[in-house]
C-alpha cells in the first residue's frame, strides 16, 4: 500500500454550460453550498469581454456611419462606446484576478505549478488603457474646432 502517485496536471477545456456552473464554498464538495461571489465573478470575467467586443463593433459601425454622413457628431458616441468597452475589459480583468485570489485562499497550488499570469492576461491588461486612449482621442477629435479639422484629419488622429 506504500505506492506513490504522481500528480499529473494538464489543461482542460470547459464547455459553455460548464462555464456557468455554480462554484462551491469548498471546491469539489457539492454539499458545501454555493459560493455566490466566486460564481458571479467567474461569470462576469467570461461575459464582459464579449460585451466589450460588441461595444467596439457597434462603435466601429457608428464611426463608419459618421464617415458616410460626413459628420463629427457620431464621433462622440464612438468615443463613449470605446470608454464603456475599456471599462468592461478592466472589469473582466478585475473579476478574473479577484476570482483567482479567492480560489487560492481555498486551495493550495500543486508543487509543480507556478501560478503566474500568462500572456493573454497581459494583453487584456494592456488593451484596457488602449481602449481608454482611443476613447479620449475620439472625444477630443469631436470637440476640436470643426472648422479647422476636416473629417479625414479627425479620424486620422483617432
Amino acid at each position: 500500500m506504500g505506492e506513490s502517485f504522481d500528480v499529473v496536471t494538464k489543461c482542460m477545456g470547459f464547455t459553455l454550460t460548464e462555464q456557468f456552473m455554480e462554484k462551491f464554498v469548498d471546491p469539489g464538495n457539492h454539499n458545501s453550498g454555493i459560493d455566490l461571489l466566486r460564481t458571479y465573478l467567474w461569470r462576469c470575467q467570461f461575459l464582459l469581454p464579449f460585451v466589450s467586443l460588441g461595444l467596439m463593433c457597434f462603435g466601429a459601425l457608428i464611426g463608419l456611419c459618421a464617415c458616410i454622413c460626413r459628420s463629427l457628431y457620431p464621433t462622440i458616441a464612438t468615443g463613449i462606446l470605446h470608454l464603456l468597452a475599456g471599462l468592461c475589459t478592466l472589469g473582466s480583468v478585475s473579476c478574473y484576478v479577484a476570482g483567482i485570489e479567492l480560489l487560492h485562499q481555498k486551495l493550495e497550488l500543486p508543487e509543480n505549478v507556478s501560478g503566474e499570469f500568462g500572456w493573454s492576461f497581459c494583453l487584456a491588461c494592456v488593451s484596457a488603457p488602449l481602449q481608454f486612449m482611443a476613447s479620449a482621442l475620439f472625444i477630443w477629435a469631436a470637440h476640436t474646432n470643426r472648422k479647422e479639422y476636416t473629417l479625414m484629419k479627425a479620424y486620422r488622429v483617432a
Side-chain angles (χ1 to χ4, degrees):
M1 285 271 176
E3 297 177 25
S4 66
F5 294 99
D6 291 330
V7 176
V8 177
T9 56
K10 63 179 180 175
C11 290
M12 295 179 61
F14 290 106
T15 63
L16 190 59
T17 55
E18 290 172 337
Q19 291 288 341
F20 293 102
M21 289 177 60
E22 289 88 9
K23 308 297 179 219
F24 298 100
V25 174
D26 292 327
N29 183 1
H30 298 280
N31 296 324
S32 64
I34 297 172
D35 188 351
L36 290 177
L37 181 60
R38 281 187 41 240
T39 298
Y40 286 106
L41 282 172
W42 185 266
R43 290 175 182 175
C44 284
Q45 68 99 17
F46 182 76
L47 289 175
L48 283 175
F50 292 111
V51 173
S52 177
L53 180 64
L55 289 169
M56 297 270 301
C57 290
F58 189 57
L61 183 65
I62 289 177
L64 182 65
C65 291
C67 284
I68 292 171
C69 297
R70 297 193 183 275
S71 172
L72 286 176
Y73 292 112
T75 310
I76 295 173
T78 303
I80 291 171
L81 288 173
H82 275 74
L83 177 68
L84 292 174
L87 288 174
C88 286
T89 303
L90 189 63
S92 178
V93 168
S94 300
C95 288
Y96 176 74
V97 170
I100 292 297
E101 289 301 318
L102 287 173
L103 183 63
H104 286 180
Q105 289 176 1
K106 299 189 183 293
L107 295 175
E108 292 187 24
L109 290 174
E111 286 182 24
N112 299 335
V113 177
S114 62
E116 297 173 355
F117 294 116
W119 60 270
S120 59
F121 177 80
C122 295
L123 283 178
C125 289
V126 169
S127 71
L130 289 175
Q131 288 172 325
F132 291 139
M133 286 189 291
S135 171
L137 286 172
F138 272 113
I139 293 171
W140 174 79
H143 283 296
T144 54
N145 187 350
R146 288 178 182 86
K147 292 179 183 177
E148 185 179 337
Y149 289 94
T150 64
L151 183 64
M152 291 309 292
K153 285 185 182 176
Y155 277 97
R156 197 174 304 138
V157 169

